[in-house]
Amino acid sequence: METQHAPTTGRRRMPRAERERQILAVAEEVFAADGYQAASMDDIAARVGLSKPMLYEYFGSKEGLLLACLQRAKRELIEATTVAAAGASTPEQLLHDCLLAFFRFSDDHAQAWALLRNEAAVPSASVNSELEAIRMQQVEFTAGLLEHARPDLDRLQSEAFAEAIIGACERLALWRERRPEVTAEQATEHLMALLLPSLAM
């Protein structure tokens, strides 16, 4: 008797973690291109190749999907700046390499900066809290670096300097959108010229 085999479609079943990464990558593109309010879950689902109900099964809601995108950006940003800090051998190189990592990250994750720029357009306390958490993560990280590089600073001074540095980085990242000819390396040098004299012991 001839054995009957179920037909195969040739479509590989994607592991959940891999599928989530795919969804987040597509969602970031859509949020960046269309903005949160205009972004369509139907469009995201179609681009990923899932049904809309399946997309909701993964993230619960459009807001949940946006929060997941921001949380991923938050993790990747701290990873990028941590790696940059680990490779520095002097306080000047530490500052330079971390600033450069920040600006390169803003180039690679333009959607995160678009949301920071237009956060008032997202009427969600959870989303705005996550956006602020991204800032605070970098402030705390930067304050820790300053305390290591400048042991003469007290905690209050380190926090104040860190807030100013992160604020300057955000404004410079936004300025670069109007000046696309300015590279991440050039932005880093501009900010180094401003910060180094005030941070010198």
Side-chain angles (χ1 to χ4, degrees):
M1 179 185 289
E2 195 174 314
T3 304
Q4 298 267 331
H5 293 284
T8 58
T9 63
R11 185 175 181 178
R12 180 175 66 89
R13 182 176 177 82
M14 191 177 292
R16 183 179 181 90
E18 186 178 345
R19 177 66 77 184
E20 286 181 355
R21 286 193 294 272
Q22 181 194 35
I23 294 170
L24 290 175
V26 171
E28 285 186 353
E29 291 178 5
V30 174
F31 287 139
D34 301 340
Y36 174 72
Q37 298 288 2
S40 164
M41 292 291 273
D42 288 301
D43 184 22
I44 294 169
R47 293 192 192 192
V48 175
L50 290 176
S51 66
K52 186 176 177 180
M54 182 62 70
L55 186 59
Y56 278 101
E57 183 177 318
Y58 274 90
F59 295 100
S61 64
K62 185 164 88 166
E63 181 178 318
L65 180 55
L66 177 61
L67 283 169
C69 289
L70 290 172
Q71 288 159 1
R72 184 175 78 157
K74 181 180 173 183
R75 289 192 303 271
E76 292 179 349
L77 177 56
I78 196 64
E79 287 170 6
T81 47
T82 299
V83 168
S89 58
T90 66
E92 292 78 12
Q93 186 187 0
L94 181 69
L95 179 61
H96 176 278
D97 291 356
C98 288
L99 291 175
L100 182 58
F102 184 96
F103 289 122
R104 284 177 173 169
F105 186 88
S106 72
D107 286 344
D108 295 337
H109 296 266
Q111 68 286 339
W113 307 116
L115 287 170
L116 283 169
R117 184 180 67 245
N118 298 312
E119 62 188 88
V122 184
S124 164
S126 296
V127 170
N128 288 318
S129 293
E130 190 61 38
L131 289 168
E132 184 60 22
I134 293 173
R135 290 191 182 97
M136 290 310 302
Q137 172 184 261
Q138 288 304 300
V139 167
E140 291 169 8
F141 177 75
T142 303
L145 294 179
L146 287 171
E147 288 177 349
H148 176 73
R150 287 283 308 274
D152 59 307
L153 297 176
D154 61 32
R155 182 63 188 178
L156 199 61
Q157 288 175 307
S158 296
E159 288 180 1
F161 286 4
E163 290 277 4
I165 290 169
I166 295 307
C169 284
E170 283 191 15
R171 290 307 309 174
L172 218 56
L174 295 175
W175 171 70
R176 289 183 62 221
E177 292 185 7
R178 303 192 302 275
R179 293 281 194 175
E181 72 274 14
V182 178
T183 66
E185 290 75 12
Q186 289 171 325
T188 299
E189 293 305 325
H190 291 323
L191 200 47
M192 286 288 290
L194 176 67
L195 295 175
L196 269 185
S198 60
L199 291 178
M201 293 184 67

PDB file of all heavy atoms in Angstrom, residues 13 21 42 44 59 67 69-70 83 85 93 100 106 108 127 138 142-144 162 168 175 181 186 191 194-195:
ATOM      1  N   ARG A  13       8.066  27.371   9.601  1.00  0.00           N
ATOM      2  CA  ARG A  13       7.423  27.966  10.772  1.00  0.00           C
ATOM      3  C   ARG A  13       8.476  28.739  11.563  1.00  0.00           C
ATOM      4  O   ARG A  13       9.483  28.175  11.992  1.00  0.00           O
ATOM      5  CB  ARG A  13       6.784  26.878  11.638  1.00  0.00           C
ATOM      6  CG  ARG A  13       6.050  27.434  12.849  1.00  0.00           C
ATOM      7  CD  ARG A  13       5.365  26.313  13.609  1.00  0.00           C
ATOM      8  NE  ARG A  13       4.720  26.811  14.801  1.00  0.00           N
ATOM      9  CZ  ARG A  13       3.519  27.379  14.846  1.00  0.00           C
ATOM     10  NH1 ARG A  13       2.831  27.496  13.714  1.00  0.00           N
ATOM     11  NH2 ARG A  13       2.986  27.802  15.970  1.00  0.00           N
ATOM     12  N   ARG A  21      10.899  39.741  16.506  1.00  0.00           N
ATOM     13  CA  ARG A  21      11.917  40.652  15.982  1.00  0.00           C
ATOM     14  C   ARG A  21      11.517  41.177  14.607  1.00  0.00           C
ATOM     15  O   ARG A  21      11.723  42.354  14.294  1.00  0.00           O
ATOM     16  CB  ARG A  21      13.280  39.952  15.918  1.00  0.00           C
ATOM     17  CG  ARG A  21      13.947  39.755  17.276  1.00  0.00           C
ATOM     18  CD  ARG A  21      15.404  39.345  17.136  1.00  0.00           C
ATOM     19  NE  ARG A  21      15.554  38.027  16.529  1.00  0.00           N
ATOM     20  CZ  ARG A  21      15.567  36.886  17.200  1.00  0.00           C
ATOM     21  NH1 ARG A  21      15.432  36.891  18.526  1.00  0.00           N
ATOM     22  NH2 ARG A  21      15.727  35.731  16.581  1.00  0.00           N
ATOM     23  N   ASP A  42      -3.192  47.042  10.118  1.00  0.00           N
ATOM     24  CA  ASP A  42      -3.438  46.232   8.913  1.00  0.00           C
ATOM     25  C   ASP A  42      -2.204  46.239   8.017  1.00  0.00           C
ATOM     26  O   ASP A  42      -1.805  45.203   7.476  1.00  0.00           O
ATOM     27  CB  ASP A  42      -4.645  46.782   8.142  1.00  0.00           C
ATOM     28  CG  ASP A  42      -5.954  46.516   8.848  1.00  0.00           C
ATOM     29  OD1 ASP A  42      -6.279  45.342   9.088  1.00  0.00           O
ATOM     30  OD2 ASP A  42      -6.662  47.483   9.173  1.00  0.00           O
ATOM     31  N   ILE A  44       0.938  46.897   8.916  1.00  0.00           N
ATOM     32  CA  ILE A  44       2.037  46.170   9.570  1.00  0.00           C
ATOM     33  C   ILE A  44       1.841  44.668   9.429  1.00  0.00           C
ATOM     34  O   ILE A  44       2.770  43.932   9.080  1.00  0.00           O
ATOM     35  CB  ILE A  44       2.141  46.574  11.053  1.00  0.00           C
ATOM     36  CG1 ILE A  44       2.553  48.047  11.169  1.00  0.00           C
ATOM     37  CG2 ILE A  44       3.148  45.684  11.792  1.00  0.00           C
ATOM     38  CD1 ILE A  44       2.440  48.622  12.567  1.00  0.00           C
ATOM     39  N   PHE A  59       1.191  41.382  20.572  1.00  0.00           N
ATOM     40  CA  PHE A  59       1.479  42.616  21.302  1.00  0.00           C
ATOM     41  C   PHE A  59       0.265  43.271  21.956  1.00  0.00           C
ATOM     42  O   PHE A  59       0.420  44.290  22.621  1.00  0.00           O
ATOM     43  CB  PHE A  59       2.172  43.622  20.370  1.00  0.00           C
ATOM     44  CG  PHE A  59       3.532  43.152  19.926  1.00  0.00           C
ATOM     45  CD1 PHE A  59       3.714  42.572  18.682  1.00  0.00           C
ATOM     46  CD2 PHE A  59       4.626  43.256  20.774  1.00  0.00           C
ATOM     47  CE1 PHE A  59       4.966  42.123  18.283  1.00  0.00           C
ATOM     48  CE2 PHE A  59       5.883  42.811  20.387  1.00  0.00           C
ATOM     49  CZ  PHE A  59       6.055  42.240  19.138  1.00  0.00           C
ATOM     50  N   LEU A  67       5.187  50.378  22.395  1.00  0.00           N
ATOM     51  CA  LEU A  67       5.979  50.235  23.618  1.00  0.00           C
ATOM     52  C   LEU A  67       7.079  49.196  23.436  1.00  0.00           C
ATOM     53  O   LEU A  67       8.207  49.392  23.900  1.00  0.00           O
ATOM     54  CB  LEU A  67       5.071  49.831  24.784  1.00  0.00           C
ATOM     55  CG  LEU A  67       4.216  50.949  25.385  1.00  0.00           C
ATOM     56  CD1 LEU A  67       3.185  50.364  26.339  1.00  0.00           C
ATOM     57  CD2 LEU A  67       5.086  51.967  26.104  1.00  0.00           C
ATOM     58  N   CYS A  69       8.556  48.433  20.645  1.00  0.00           N
ATOM     59  CA  CYS A  69       9.583  49.051  19.803  1.00  0.00           C
ATOM     60  C   CYS A  69      10.490  49.956  20.634  1.00  0.00           C
ATOM     61  O   CYS A  69      11.725  49.930  20.486  1.00  0.00           O
ATOM     62  CB  CYS A  69       8.925  49.875  18.696  1.00  0.00           C
ATOM     63  SG  CYS A  69       8.117  48.916  17.396  1.00  0.00           S
ATOM     64  N   LEU A  70       9.900  50.747  21.514  1.00  0.00           N
ATOM     65  CA  LEU A  70      10.680  51.654  22.342  1.00  0.00           C
ATOM     66  C   LEU A  70      11.549  50.898  23.336  1.00  0.00           C
ATOM     67  O   LEU A  70      12.700  51.273  23.591  1.00  0.00           O
ATOM     68  CB  LEU A  70       9.746  52.611  23.087  1.00  0.00           C
ATOM     69  CG  LEU A  70       9.042  53.646  22.217  1.00  0.00           C
ATOM     70  CD1 LEU A  70       8.000  54.403  23.033  1.00  0.00           C
ATOM     71  CD2 LEU A  70      10.032  54.622  21.590  1.00  0.00           C
ATOM     72  N   VAL A  83      29.167  49.336  25.299  1.00  0.00           N
ATOM     73  CA  VAL A  83      30.285  48.797  24.519  1.00  0.00           C
ATOM     74  C   VAL A  83      31.295  49.903  24.222  1.00  0.00           C
ATOM     75  O   VAL A  83      32.505  49.697  24.318  1.00  0.00           O
ATOM     76  CB  VAL A  83      29.766  48.152  23.215  1.00  0.00           C
ATOM     77  CG1 VAL A  83      30.922  47.858  22.264  1.00  0.00           C
ATOM     78  CG2 VAL A  83      29.001  46.872  23.520  1.00  0.00           C
ATOM     79  N   ALA A  85      31.866  52.603  25.968  1.00  0.00           N
ATOM     80  CA  ALA A  85      32.565  52.970  27.202  1.00  0.00           C
ATOM     81  C   ALA A  85      33.625  51.948  27.561  1.00  0.00           C
ATOM     82  O   ALA A  85      34.707  52.302  28.048  1.00  0.00           O
ATOM     83  CB  ALA A  85      31.555  53.110  28.340  1.00  0.00           C
ATOM     84  N   GLN A  93      38.593  59.968  25.756  1.00  0.00           N
ATOM     85  CA  GLN A  93      38.137  58.952  24.813  1.00  0.00           C
ATOM     86  C   GLN A  93      36.786  58.394  25.248  1.00  0.00           C
ATOM     87  O   GLN A  93      35.933  58.098  24.399  1.00  0.00           O
ATOM     88  CB  GLN A  93      39.155  57.808  24.711  1.00  0.00           C
ATOM     89  CG  GLN A  93      38.780  56.798  23.631  1.00  0.00           C
ATOM     90  CD  GLN A  93      39.684  55.574  23.617  1.00  0.00           C
ATOM     91  OE1 GLN A  93      40.603  55.460  24.425  1.00  0.00           O
ATOM     92  NE2 GLN A  93      39.427  54.649  22.713  1.00  0.00           N
ATOM     93  N   LEU A 100      29.803  59.481  20.233  1.00  0.00           N
ATOM     94  CA  LEU A 100      29.759  58.950  18.875  1.00  0.00           C
ATOM     95  C   LEU A 100      28.769  57.789  18.783  1.00  0.00           C
ATOM     96  O   LEU A 100      27.993  57.691  17.813  1.00  0.00           O
ATOM     97  CB  LEU A 100      31.153  58.498  18.449  1.00  0.00           C
ATOM     98  CG  LEU A 100      31.295  57.958  17.025  1.00  0.00           C
ATOM     99  CD1 LEU A 100      30.845  58.979  15.994  1.00  0.00           C
ATOM    100  CD2 LEU A 100      32.739  57.532  16.767  1.00  0.00           C
ATOM    101  N   SER A 106      21.386  57.184  16.823  1.00  0.00           N
ATOM    102  CA  SER A 106      20.283  58.027  16.348  1.00  0.00           C
ATOM    103  C   SER A 106      20.137  57.954  14.833  1.00  0.00           C
ATOM    104  O   SER A 106      19.030  58.086  14.306  1.00  0.00           O
ATOM    105  CB  SER A 106      20.473  59.478  16.803  1.00  0.00           C
ATOM    106  OG  SER A 106      21.514  60.116  16.100  1.00  0.00           O
ATOM    107  N   ASP A 108      20.800  55.182  13.080  1.00  0.00           N
ATOM    108  CA  ASP A 108      20.280  53.847  12.782  1.00  0.00           C
ATOM    109  C   ASP A 108      18.850  53.638  13.290  1.00  0.00           C
ATOM    110  O   ASP A 108      18.180  52.713  12.852  1.00  0.00           O
ATOM    111  CB  ASP A 108      21.183  52.772  13.399  1.00  0.00           C
ATOM    112  CG  ASP A 108      22.572  52.771  12.783  1.00  0.00           C
ATOM    113  OD1 ASP A 108      22.710  53.250  11.637  1.00  0.00           O
ATOM    114  OD2 ASP A 108      23.517  52.303  13.447  1.00  0.00           O
ATOM    115  N   VAL A 127       3.349  55.398  26.899  1.00  0.00           N
ATOM    116  CA  VAL A 127       4.347  55.676  25.863  1.00  0.00           C
ATOM    117  C   VAL A 127       5.259  56.812  26.298  1.00  0.00           C
ATOM    118  O   VAL A 127       6.483  56.738  26.180  1.00  0.00           O
ATOM    119  CB  VAL A 127       3.656  56.003  24.528  1.00  0.00           C
ATOM    120  CG1 VAL A 127       4.684  56.540  23.514  1.00  0.00           C
ATOM    121  CG2 VAL A 127       2.963  54.771  23.967  1.00  0.00           C
ATOM    122  N   GLN A 138      19.898  56.947  30.000  1.00  0.00           N
ATOM    123  CA  GLN A 138      21.135  57.540  29.514  1.00  0.00           C
ATOM    124  C   GLN A 138      21.705  58.561  30.499  1.00  0.00           C
ATOM    125  O   GLN A 138      22.922  58.684  30.632  1.00  0.00           O
ATOM    126  CB  GLN A 138      20.904  58.184  28.143  1.00  0.00           C
ATOM    127  CG  GLN A 138      20.708  57.187  27.021  1.00  0.00           C
ATOM    128  CD  GLN A 138      21.872  56.218  26.914  1.00  0.00           C
ATOM    129  OE1 GLN A 138      23.012  56.615  26.699  1.00  0.00           O
ATOM    130  NE2 GLN A 138      21.601  54.934  27.066  1.00  0.00           N
ATOM    131  N   THR A 142      25.338  58.124  32.023  1.00  0.00           N
ATOM    132  CA  THR A 142      26.313  59.197  31.843  1.00  0.00           C
ATOM    133  C   THR A 142      26.806  59.718  33.184  1.00  0.00           C
ATOM    134  O   THR A 142      28.003  60.008  33.345  1.00  0.00           O
ATOM    135  CB  THR A 142      25.690  60.343  31.021  1.00  0.00           C
ATOM    136  OG1 THR A 142      25.230  59.819  29.769  1.00  0.00           O
ATOM    137  CG2 THR A 142      26.701  61.451  30.752  1.00  0.00           C
ATOM    138  N   ALA A 143      25.919  59.856  34.162  1.00  0.00           N
ATOM    139  CA  ALA A 143      26.327  60.303  35.503  1.00  0.00           C
ATOM    140  C   ALA A 143      27.333  59.331  36.109  1.00  0.00           C
ATOM    141  O   ALA A 143      28.319  59.747  36.745  1.00  0.00           O
ATOM    142  CB  ALA A 143      25.105  60.450  36.410  1.00  0.00           C
ATOM    143  N   GLY A 144      27.108  58.035  35.898  1.00  0.00           N
ATOM    144  CA  GLY A 144      28.049  57.041  36.399  1.00  0.00           C
ATOM    145  C   GLY A 144      29.412  57.160  35.750  1.00  0.00           C
ATOM    146  O   GLY A 144      30.449  57.036  36.423  1.00  0.00           O
ATOM    147  N   ALA A 162      25.184  65.348  33.563  1.00  0.00           N
ATOM    148  CA  ALA A 162      24.625  64.294  32.719  1.00  0.00           C
ATOM    149  C   ALA A 162      23.341  64.753  32.044  1.00  0.00           C
ATOM    150  O   ALA A 162      23.120  64.492  30.855  1.00  0.00           O
ATOM    151  CB  ALA A 162      24.382  63.029  33.541  1.00  0.00           C
ATOM    152  N   ALA A 168      21.859  68.110  25.354  1.00  0.00           N
ATOM    153  CA  ALA A 168      22.630  68.605  24.209  1.00  0.00           C
ATOM    154  C   ALA A 168      22.676  67.573  23.091  1.00  0.00           C
ATOM    155  O   ALA A 168      22.569  67.922  21.902  1.00  0.00           O
ATOM    156  CB  ALA A 168      24.040  68.968  24.659  1.00  0.00           C
ATOM    157  N   TRP A 175      19.072  68.790  15.335  1.00  0.00           N
ATOM    158  CA  TRP A 175      19.714  69.752  14.435  1.00  0.00           C
ATOM    159  C   TRP A 175      20.262  69.057  13.197  1.00  0.00           C
ATOM    160  O   TRP A 175      20.175  69.576  12.082  1.00  0.00           O
ATOM    161  CB  TRP A 175      20.835  70.464  15.195  1.00  0.00           C
ATOM    162  CG  TRP A 175      21.725  71.334  14.358  1.00  0.00           C
ATOM    163  CD1 TRP A 175      21.400  72.525  13.769  1.00  0.00           C
ATOM    164  CD2 TRP A 175      23.104  71.095  14.033  1.00  0.00           C
ATOM    165  NE1 TRP A 175      22.495  73.038  13.093  1.00  0.00           N
ATOM    166  CE2 TRP A 175      23.556  72.185  13.244  1.00  0.00           C
ATOM    167  CE3 TRP A 175      24.010  70.072  14.352  1.00  0.00           C
ATOM    168  CZ2 TRP A 175      24.849  72.268  12.755  1.00  0.00           C
ATOM    169  CZ3 TRP A 175      25.306  70.160  13.869  1.00  0.00           C
ATOM    170  CH2 TRP A 175      25.717  71.250  13.075  1.00  0.00           C
ATOM    171  N   GLU A 181      24.139  66.920   6.136  1.00  0.00           N
ATOM    172  CA  GLU A 181      25.547  66.790   5.741  1.00  0.00           C
ATOM    173  C   GLU A 181      26.459  66.602   6.946  1.00  0.00           C
ATOM    174  O   GLU A 181      27.628  66.218   6.782  1.00  0.00           O
ATOM    175  CB  GLU A 181      25.990  68.025   4.936  1.00  0.00           C
ATOM    176  CG  GLU A 181      26.153  69.310   5.737  1.00  0.00           C
ATOM    177  CD  GLU A 181      24.863  70.107   5.914  1.00  0.00           C
ATOM    178  OE1 GLU A 181      23.779  69.546   5.650  1.00  0.00           O
ATOM    179  OE2 GLU A 181      24.953  71.282   6.316  1.00  0.00           O
ATOM    180  N   GLN A 186      31.312  64.316  13.011  1.00  0.00           N
ATOM    181  CA  GLN A 186      31.404  65.775  13.116  1.00  0.00           C
ATOM    182  C   GLN A 186      30.581  66.294  14.295  1.00  0.00           C
ATOM    183  O   GLN A 186      31.020  67.193  15.025  1.00  0.00           O
ATOM    184  CB  GLN A 186      30.929  66.414  11.817  1.00  0.00           C
ATOM    185  CG  GLN A 186      31.892  66.223  10.653  1.00  0.00           C
ATOM    186  CD  GLN A 186      31.305  66.677   9.333  1.00  0.00           C
ATOM    187  OE1 GLN A 186      30.094  66.540   9.087  1.00  0.00           O
ATOM    188  NE2 GLN A 186      32.152  67.218   8.459  1.00  0.00           N
ATOM    189  N   LEU A 191      30.425  68.694  19.830  1.00  0.00           N
ATOM    190  CA  LEU A 191      30.015  68.605  21.232  1.00  0.00           C
ATOM    191  C   LEU A 191      31.226  68.437  22.152  1.00  0.00           C
ATOM    192  O   LEU A 191      31.248  68.966  23.270  1.00  0.00           O
ATOM    193  CB  LEU A 191      29.028  67.453  21.413  1.00  0.00           C
ATOM    194  CG  LEU A 191      28.137  67.498  22.666  1.00  0.00           C
ATOM    195  CD1 LEU A 191      27.513  68.869  22.880  1.00  0.00           C
ATOM    196  CD2 LEU A 191      27.059  66.430  22.582  1.00  0.00           C
ATOM    197  N   LEU A 194      32.682  71.756  22.938  1.00  0.00           N
ATOM    198  CA  LEU A 194      31.881  72.482  23.920  1.00  0.00           C
ATOM    199  C   LEU A 194      32.068  71.940  25.331  1.00  0.00           C
ATOM    200  O   LEU A 194      32.204  72.700  26.295  1.00  0.00           O
ATOM    201  CB  LEU A 194      30.400  72.408  23.532  1.00  0.00           C
ATOM    202  CG  LEU A 194      29.398  73.035  24.516  1.00  0.00           C
ATOM    203  CD1 LEU A 194      29.569  74.542  24.580  1.00  0.00           C
ATOM    204  CD2 LEU A 194      27.975  72.664  24.125  1.00  0.00           C
ATOM    205  N   LEU A 195      32.102  70.605  25.448  1.00  0.00           N
ATOM    206  CA  LEU A 195      32.055  69.984  26.769  1.00  0.00           C
ATOM    207  C   LEU A 195      33.411  69.855  27.441  1.00  0.00           C
ATOM    208  O   LEU A 195      33.518  69.998  28.671  1.00  0.00           O
ATOM    209  CB  LEU A 195      31.427  68.599  26.660  1.00  0.00           C
ATOM    210  CG  LEU A 195      29.949  68.541  26.237  1.00  0.00           C
ATOM    211  CD1 LEU A 195      29.524  67.096  26.057  1.00  0.00           C
ATOM    212  CD2 LEU A 195      29.070  69.215  27.286  1.00  0.00           C
TER     213      LEU A 195
END
